Amino acid sequence: MLKYLVSAAILATLPLGALAHEFAAEGIKIDHPWARPTVTTRQPAAVFFHLDNKGEADDRLISAEVPEAVAGSAEIHTTLNDEGIMRMRRLADGIAIPAGEEVPVAPGGHHIMLFDLTEPLSEGMRFPVTLTFEQAGDVEVEVVVETPEEGNDPVDHSQH
């Protein structure tokens, strides 16, 4: 009984955005889509989540779309280390998700870039993003804006 009370007390202290939320379609699980707060609309934002292909066929994330009320465009990007300098590059072919494997879309790696924000992203804000997969089709997810935990700082995208 004490174990359950301690667990409940810990959960009660977490911010609502810290509680995981997940989405799924055709064997693809998308876990906890999130973005960090931004200061201005000129600063691009990055969306992160975790992909898990529980299906028997390979799939690929081929595009992302965000409502015009949130941003002007969304693109799939990755982070590359270019002789010690971290650079962002658009992935025209998307992100491969092999059958039975997990693919992080996380700070320092693959991510969805949002350009031309209509307003800064603020803590607790939520907005939809439609992810399009070759096999699983369109999946609308809800992105939560939250400050990352210490030690999990996203890469600075302001130099994009």
Side-chain angles (χ1 to χ4, degrees), residues 77-81 85-91 108-109 111 113 115 155-160:
H77 281 225
T78 196
T79 305
L80 302 171
N81 185 336
I85 298 171
M86 301 306 281
R87 299 189 189 276
M88 307 313 140
R89 294 288 181 256
R90 183 171 180 262
L91 293 175
H111 52 279
M113 290 297 298
F115 296 100
V155 174
D156 179 7
H157 295 281
S158 61
Q159 300 300 315
H160 200 287

Side-chain angles (χ1 to χ4, degrees), residues 8-10 19-20 24-25 35-36 41 62 83 94 114 116 127 131 133 140 145 150-151 160:
I10 290 170
L19 299 175
R36 72 170 185 261
T41 57
I62 56 174
E83 297 181 19
L114 305 180
D116 302 320
F127 59 90
L131 303 175
F133 297 88
E140 185 174 297
V145 179
E150 189 172 325
H160 200 287

